[in-house]
Amino acid sequence: MLDPLAAPDALSAAVEPLEDLLQDNTFQPFIELLHVVPATGTTAGRDRMQVLAQAVFDAGGWGSGYQVGGPVRPFASPRAWRDIFRGQVTEGYMRPARRYGHTAPDRHAPDDIRRAGELADGIADLVEAHLGPVRGCGDVGGPHTSYIWWRNLLLVTDDWATVLHLAVSD
């Protein structure tokens, strides 16, 4: 396993080609991994995910000082975050053509969509290479200043927790 604490920096470098593919003249995508914190020592249950999400935000960065106001909504499958991430960059809101509604032409060729999916899969593999297999994940409310769309996904492995932040800004 690679160094878990180096995961945010490794992800920053790895997402550049994907962000370039998704970017257009009006909108800027953001894909980042927040601080990595130890997951060991927290009790099991729904509240555990909220405690871990709060620990990630408390670790610093742009979410520093934010208070997680409610429970993290866990997903049934630990692989759900991969599907959500891939879906957002291939057919979801992060895909630029989707932002303009159904009347705008699709500005991405099928090869671009395929490439975005491949890059997303590679990024997900990189995250798990650093942290270990994700054993639990869920949606976290969180700071979203100036974003027109955002989503925060808590990722929890046997030993580590972090938040994968997806956003679009104008």
Side-chain angles (χ1 to χ4, degrees):
M1 180 171 28
L2 301 173
D3 180 6
L5 300 178
D9 290 336
L11 186 97
S12 289
V15 299
E16 286 181 26
L18 180 56
E19 288 176 338
D20 289 346
L21 182 64
L22 299 173
Q23 184 175 352
D24 63 20
N25 292 331
T26 307
F27 297 102
Q28 172 66 45
F30 294 95
I31 302 166
E32 59 188 322
L33 202 59
L34 303 187
H35 284 46
V36 175
V37 298
T40 54
T42 55
T43 59
R46 284 182 77 107
D47 290 342
R48 176 180 189 244
M49 292 186 88
Q50 184 175 350
V51 168
L52 289 171
Q54 187 63 59
V56 171
F57 287 115
D58 288 347
W62 62 263
S64 183
Y66 175 75
Q67 296 297 308
V68 176
V72 174
R73 292 178 305 157
F75 301 119
S77 167
R79 292 190 50 85
W81 74 277
R82 285 175 164 267
D83 297 336
I84 291 166
F85 178 41
R86 188 179 217 285
Q88 284 304 324
V89 301
T90 59
E91 58 193 43
Y93 197 80
M94 294 188 84
R95 178 178 168 196
R98 290 289 181 164
R99 296 186 205 124
Y100 300 102
H102 298 294
T103 59
D106 188 348
R107 298 189 318 190
H108 281 295
D111 284 345
D112 291 336
I113 300 302
R114 179 191 50 75
R115 178 80 177 126
E118 290 171 353
L119 289 168
D121 291 343
I123 291 165
D125 290 344
L126 177 69
V127 168
E128 289 190 326
H130 277 273
L131 304 178
V134 171
R135 305 287 188 206
C137 56
D139 269 322
V140 182
H144 51 83
T145 58
S146 76
Y147 295 123
I148 59 174
W149 177 88
W150 61 273
R151 190 159 190 186
N152 292 323
L153 302 172
L154 176 68
L155 310 178
V156 182
T157 68
D158 288 337
D159 299 315
W160 305 99
T162 190
V163 170
L164 178 63
H165 173 70
L166 310 173
V168 175
S169 180
D170 56 358

